[in-house]
Amino acid sequence: MDFNRIKEKLNILADAAKYDVSCSSSGSNRKNTNKGLGNASNGICHSYSEDGRCISLLKILLTNHCIYDCAYCVTRKSNDIKRAAFKIQEVVDLTIKFYRRNYIEGLFLSSGIFKDPDYTMERLIAVAKKLRLEENFNGYIHLKSIPGASDELMYEAGLYADRLSVNIEIPTVSGLKLLAPDKKHEDFAKPMLKVKNEIIRFKEERKLLKSTPKYAPAGQSTQMIVGATGESDKDVMYSANHFYKNFHMKRVYYSGYVPVSNDNRLPSIGTQVPMLRENRLYQTDWLLRFYGFSVQELLNAEYPNLDMDVDPKLSWALRNMQHFPVDVNKADISVLARIPGVGMTSVHKIMKARKFRKLDWDHLKKMGVALNRAKYFILCDSRHWERRDLDPQRIKGLILSTSYGKFRPQYSNQLSLFN
């Protein structure tokens, strides 16, 4: 083995994989059997980078050669970059050696598309198959499904991978046609539908026959690039909502576009990556999945874009003051979940604690309620901080004046109007 060449490939193909953020490994519970290597239990990704992305997986491309020329992609065929490709056995060896040195806890394997989708998918599956059957590796494996791959290959992939994912890439049909004319949205939807149906089928069969193998036990996910085209936040979240409802996605990931080419269809190189917007989309996603909001409540024709100054729950509350104030000692759980500054953990604490006594501000603070936001929207067993007759803009200004966070420097200068 030429170690210098392997190291060079690793540098090239690990760097090329950094643009894919959908590398979560939650949801799998593959057990270690026959004294094999690894155990893909919940919480495997317990190490994160500063911006919140998981870093505990060996995250690489099988190759950065690609037959497509997607304008937003660094590995597009027209881009003059250094190319490399791993052999199947090289990826297997790297995974096992890194695991034994405690560098990683699993593998996240993607690839550029070379020759055709089926050929590329076959090689990705071959890596996972060798790890499972020859190396007895029980650690976490996430395979990126290749758009356009056959149903037979998608079926096989789910037998060896813990999670599968197909990146939808651009959230709108028109945007994909503009930037990647060789691709079609239906090529992404086909493998997603196959995986969804197989997951359902295998779960039903396991109810009858316990020896039925698991199929993609951590489900499937997808990723959308944000800011490459002129899509609104409404376009992004309506698309995400579609994938959650119709394909049973575990997660939809949002990746702020990193300018990688001088192309008049795209933001120019040097344009700031929309990290704050990306953060707001994740917050909106959280509200849809865990707080009972519908996408139409948060984004619609009247409000097609999220407020960058405040989080989406607070933004919704300021637009719907008729629902407030809420009495935390009487409101049901669905109403409590809509109060700005009150997370679901605090909601459940409130529901339990108020069985024994009426709650005041001190109780709420101890439960983790962010009173700098919540106090304008709730009533409790106290006369302190009685609701004042404040309009939404004034409330927003008061909250911003006491807010801090990593995106604070990017907030609007409008804050000075309320000082």
Side-chain angles (χ1 to χ4, degrees):
M1 180 183 291
D2 185 344
F3 291 101
N4 288 330
R5 178 55 181 156
I6 293 294
K7 183 179 179 181
E8 183 183 18
K9 287 183 182 181
L10 187 58
N11 288 336
I12 294 170
L13 297 173
D15 184 69
K18 69 185 180 182
Y19 298 100
D20 198 325
V21 301
S22 55
C23 61
S24 171
S25 68
S26 60
S28 178
N29 59 353
R30 186 183 298 272
K31 301 298 183 183
N32 191 327
T33 57
N34 301 321
K35 296 181 179 180
L37 287 172
N39 190 331
S41 59
N42 285 328
I44 186 171
C45 285
H46 52 254
S47 178
Y48 295 88
S49 61
E50 186 177 358
D51 61 0
R53 291 181 172 86
C54 173
I55 58 172
S56 62
L57 305 178
L58 173 59
K59 183 179 176 183
I60 56 174
L61 298 185
L62 187 61
T63 180
N64 63 347
H65 291 278
C66 194
I67 62 174
Y68 293 124
D69 199 28
C70 307
Y72 49 82
C73 184
V74 70
T75 62
R76 64 192 181 280
K77 67 180 180 181
S78 64
N79 198 16
D80 185 18
I81 59 171
K82 200 166 188 178
R83 305 284 177 171
F86 277 122
K87 296 176 182 177
I88 291 170
Q89 191 60 47
E90 288 173 342
V91 178
V92 172
D93 291 342
L94 278 172
T95 303
I96 297 301
K97 289 176 180 178
F98 279 20
Y99 184 88
R100 284 177 169 155
R101 287 167 173 78
N102 203 31
Y103 294 161
I104 61 165
E105 295 175 279
L107 172 67
F108 177 94
L109 184 61
S110 184
S111 182
I113 301 172
F114 53 118
K115 290 193 176 180
D116 59 62
D118 277 354
Y119 180 80
T120 306
M121 196 69 215
E122 285 175 354
R123 294 180 67 81
L124 292 173
I125 294 170
V127 172
K129 195 171 183 177
K130 273 180 169 286
L131 283 168
R132 297 297 192 209
L133 303 183
E134 296 180 17
E135 301 293 341
N136 203 13
F137 181 71
N138 294 292
Y140 183 84
I141 298 178
H142 183 154
L143 292 184
K144 297 299 295 190
S145 306
I146 304 300
S150 69
D151 284 352
E152 292 76 16
L153 288 173
M154 292 308 304
Y155 167 78
E156 189 176 15
L159 296 176
Y160 301 107
D162 293 281
R163 175 168 287 186
L164 297 170
S165 57
V166 182
N167 284 355
I168 194 66
E169 298 175 358
I170 302 298
T172 62
V173 173
S174 59
L176 186 68
K177 186 175 181 180
L178 174 67
L179 300 178
D182 295 331
K183 293 183 177 179
K184 299 177 181 177
H185 257 257
E186 48 264 37
D187 291 336
F188 299 94
K190 182 184 174 185
M192 288 180 183
L193 184 61
K194 176 64 176 176
V195 172
K196 170 202 162 184
N197 291 337
E198 291 297 339
I199 289 173
I200 294 172
R201 183 171 71 86
F202 270 72
K203 282 183 178 179
E204 291 301 312
E205 289 183 4
R206 279 182 67 84
K207 293 177 182 178
L208 302 174
L209 190 63
K210 295 299 181 184
S211 60
T212 301
K214 293 182 178 180
Y215 183 91
Q220 64 174 328
S221 59
T222 191
Q223 173 181 315
M224 290 185 281
I225 298 170
V226 178
T229 57
E231 77 284 338
S232 66
D233 294 330
K234 173 176 171 286
D235 294 330
V236 174
M237 292 312 306
Y238 276 52
S239 181
N241 191 57
H242 168 77
F243 290 113
Y244 278 127
K245 286 190 172 182
N246 295 289
F247 298 98
H248 298 179
M249 288 289 161
K250 283 284 187 176
R251 287 291 305 273
V252 176
Y253 292 85
Y254 312 94
S255 179
Y257 174 66
V258 180
V260 293
S261 65
N262 287 309
D263 190 309
N264 57 16
R265 295 171 292 176
L266 291 162
S268 60
I269 291 179
T271 301
Q272 186 177 21
V273 178
M275 294 299 294
L276 176 55
R277 183 186 181 193
E278 178 185 310
N279 185 60
R280 294 287 182 241
L281 290 169
Y282 275 115
Q283 290 173 328
T284 305
D285 183 284
W286 209 254
L287 293 180
L288 299 181
R289 292 193 294 134
F290 300 111
Y291 286 76
F293 282 87
S294 69
V295 66
Q296 293 83 5
E297 289 180 285
L298 301 170
L299 292 161
N300 47 57
E302 188 177 358
Y303 300 100
N305 291 302
L306 297 168
D307 190 335
M308 293 296 106
D309 287 345
V310 297
D311 67 81
K313 192 205 278 195
L314 176 55
S315 179
W316 172 84
L318 292 171
R319 300 196 306 265
N320 293 273
M321 293 299 291
Q322 70 274 14
H323 298 301
F324 301 99
V326 169
D327 189 336
V328 295
N329 288 299
K330 297 178 181 179
D332 64 34
I333 191 169
S334 62
V335 175
L336 292 175
R338 290 175 173 246
I339 302 171
V342 182
M344 289 309 300
T345 299
S346 297
V347 167
H348 292 300
K349 288 180 180 179
I350 290 170
M351 294 296 292
K352 290 179 181 179
R354 74 186 192 184
K355 294 178 182 179
F356 304 99
R357 65 159 300 160
K358 289 187 176 181
L359 306 178
D360 60 24
W361 298 110
D362 288 335
H363 297 135
L364 295 175
K365 185 176 182 180
K366 289 176 182 178
M367 291 176 187
V369 173
L371 293 181
N372 68 315
R373 280 170 284 163
K375 66 184 180 181
Y376 301 103
F377 302 94
I378 59 178
L379 298 174
C380 64
D381 190 33
S382 175
R383 292 186 60 82
H384 184 50
W385 285 340
E386 279 189 351
R387 176 172 166 79
R388 290 169 286 177
D389 188 20
L390 298 174
D391 62 73
Q393 280 298 99
R394 181 61 178 163
I395 292 174
K396 180 179 178 180
L398 290 169
I399 292 172
L400 285 175
S401 67
T402 58
S403 298
Y404 301 93
K406 64 181 179 180
F407 295 114
R408 194 71 178 87
Q410 299 182 35
Y411 286 170
S412 168
N413 290 328
Q414 291 180 21
L415 175 60
S416 61
L417 296 175
F418 303 105
N419 290 342

